[in-house]
Amino acid sequence: MAWSSIRSALEALIGRRRADRELAEEIRHHLDLETEYRIDQGEAPKDARQTAIRAFGNTTRVAEEVRDERGGSRIESVLKDLAFAIRSLRRDAGLTTIVVLALGVGIGAATALFAVVRSALLTPLPYENPAGIVTVWSAWKDVDRTWLSYDEYEAWQAEIPAFASIALFASGAVNLTGGDQPERVRSAQVGADLFRVLGVTPIRGRGFTEDEDRPGGPAVAVISHELWSRRFGADPAIVGGTIEVNGASASLLGVLPPGFKLPLDFGADGATDVYLPLATDAAQQGAVPGPAMNPGGGSHNFYAVARLAPGATAAQADAQLRERVAGFVRDNIYTAAFGFRAFTIPVDDLVSGEVRQPLLVLLGAVGIVLLIACANVAGLLLVRGERRRRELAVRTALGAGQARLVRLLFIETGVLAAAGAVAGIVIAWLTVAAIRQLGMTSLPRVAEARIDPLLLGVALLIATLTAILTGILPSLQVRQLDPADELRESGHRASAGKGRLRWRQTLVTAEIALAVVLVTGAGLLVRTVRNLLALDPGFDPRGVLTMRLSTPSTWYGDSAAVAGFWNTLTAEVGRIPGVRSVGAVRLLPLATDMGDWGMAVEGYTPPPNQGTPGDWQIVTPGGLEAMGYRLLEGRLLDSGDDLNGPLAMVVNRTFVDRYLGGRSALGTRVLIGSSLGLAAPPYHIVGVVEDVHHNTLKSTIKPGFYVTVAQFARAPGSTIRSLSLAIRTDGDPKALIAPVRNVVRQVDPRLPISEIRTMEEIVGASIAAPHFAMRLLSSFGIIALGLAAIGIFGIVSHAVAVRRQEFGIRAALGAPPIELLRAGLWPGLRQTAAGIAIGTALALGLTGLLSRVLEGVSPTDPLTFVAVILLTGLVAFIASFLPAVRAARVPPGSVLRGD
């Protein structure tokens, strides 16, 4: 229809009442004139009027023809059908409610998951051309991925042509002081090139210069847009001024764009707020200046990010790194036994790689839920269509064409889909809010999911597709409609032809098959999460509250002051009612990756060109007890292991197995960072604890050692300023947050607290991806089973209604109720068996897509498949049983009287 025709139709429609009045007046005026003419010709007034009317013709038909000529009748007709559809659906309120809810669940689930997928996978990272950015990593035997050394940074920068530029950074935290409310925020020390490598420019001020990024350089800082807005009220005058970091002034050079994050900032720990210069060089890092390298590569302390050269790929960079590492092995910089590797990970894969497959699987799952909902709605509409065959036959007999009836049915499904879309948008909004509230924000970028106008458009598009899908089958009923046959029999029939019944049976079979696929996937993920939670992390996370504090050098000048603060704080916190034990640790297990430190172990000689590394954990007395570490031998660290006491060390089981080879560990001397026999005092092993999974629940356990903050300051001489306070209680650990805050404020009101979490939350966040997939897929499975149950209920109810006369006659002939019940159950059980068989075959082929997120369970796990078959069969039996009971209770007298 051309626009001019549409405009004419709309104008006609808008002025319809006025035009109708004018048309009626014109017709009446014409008849009056004709009547007067005929009276003048000698006819009686009454006869003259009737003659005039007969000569004019059917006034209603003429009026309709005039309306057609001026346009608008088609739109008016559609509006009438729309009004009729709404009235008709309101009269069938029960079925309408079920259909709207089914569509709402399908549309809402699809829209919500698309919001998550768009946020996590489709939204570009906040960098210029992120496809050209990679992160660079090192790895060796038993270490799958770790930091770069300064030597490696210089070598890769000089000798890897695929890298246009490479920059280093390290993460940490600082105290923002100088205001009424001190605040602890995440920080990063970054090379001057980092912002240029990532392609980000401060929106105010500037980044760091080479001169500022040097040892002993000026105290300068760049902050995030979020910190600028939150703490400084987005005051532009603050740029160029000073802020106080860890009690010392620093010039604020610039503010980064909103939403900017470092590649490692997309997890649960949140974004970096303060950026400081890395301010290091080869001399400070003990590295060989230039592309040459120390044996073993030196200390690995830095994250690295590189911009690929134009036309280069990550695969080319990896090949060049392999070739260069092979050269270093030939030069004995790395030994072959060490197994050193260098490799890249595209920044997109680093951020979203872990969740990409689970989200794509869930996107497919939600599509299945939507298909089940459409099949269910189509089945319900087919039932409704059966009840309306007489109405449609009457309409056909009165002249309505098939096109008009099909349009009416599609309008009805459109109304249902529109109502379903409204319900779906509400469900999607609630689902996204629930995802954010249920702690799923530890998944990269999931917290950024929003329902916005684009998502509303997606919901409407999905609703349109569902209207088309659900309207096709009911519209086909019209083509099979025989008005004469329907009008002769419909007063007595409540049945359908076998062909129409077969359509419904096919839909129910498909629903069951798809439900089996979803429930099987959910079952595998439930077992995966149970297996992960059953893994022994090596400590007891129950009842442990943690929070992060730091003692800046401005206020705590030496290690004695730092140790004194922690002694005072833990003693005061220990007096809070309900506290069972308290201490502090450098890094919390499963929250932060831990690196290793070179050692010399008495009686152990490493292979040539290999070191004796050990994961190093620094604690206060009571820290191991508060974390629930299990003592295997000897004792844990206590208050006697202070600055003046003998150096005491606790090691883990793997340390003993690898370095002591069955010897007793107690009393063994260990030197941190050097070789035995030098002037530095060695530690003596005083205890052995169970292995702890630190980096991930599935990571390989490495040798590890534990020493106190005070003694680590003596040997090797490093003062650890940031620790996590760990408080164990028998009650609710979160109930201790306020009392502990008060104690910290009393001990030192200048120190902010951050990262307040329970250890159970940390353990839960470490398995966030499979947990997230399990929750959603389980929800989809339950929804699918519910929809399939509704479908089975409908098909059995319909079959019982169709065979009511048969059941009545058989009852009259003496058939026992159990036989009639069995006959009533059969249609539902037959469709269920077919659906389970097809669904099981589909699940065997599709569950392999979950293999990357499964743990301790096979994609074809027989136990899961058997459980799903039994569960689906039980649900189907319950759904079939209730309507089948009606078959056993058909009163034969009323049926025979009806005949």
Side-chain angles (χ1 to χ4, degrees), residues 106 121 159 189 299 304 467 476 485 497 516 546 594 698 755 786 862 890:
L121 302 183
E159 299 184 343
Q189 294 174 294
S299 298
L476 292 177
D485 183 58
V516 167
T546 70
M594 180 182 285
K698 299 186 291 182
E755 302 176 31
V890 171

Side-chain angles (χ1 to χ4, degrees), residues 785-811:
L785 268 183
L787 292 174
I790 293 174
I792 295 169
F793 183 88
I795 192 72
V796 176
S797 296
H798 192 59
V800 170
V802 168
R803 301 173 63 187
R804 186 171 184 274
Q805 290 180 328
E806 173 195 339
F807 290 136
I809 294 172
R810 291 175 64 180

Side-chain angles (χ1 to χ4, degrees), residues 810-827:
R810 291 175 64 180
L813 294 176
I818 187 65
E819 185 176 327
L820 300 179
L821 178 66
R822 191 183 303 119
L825 280 171
W826 175 243

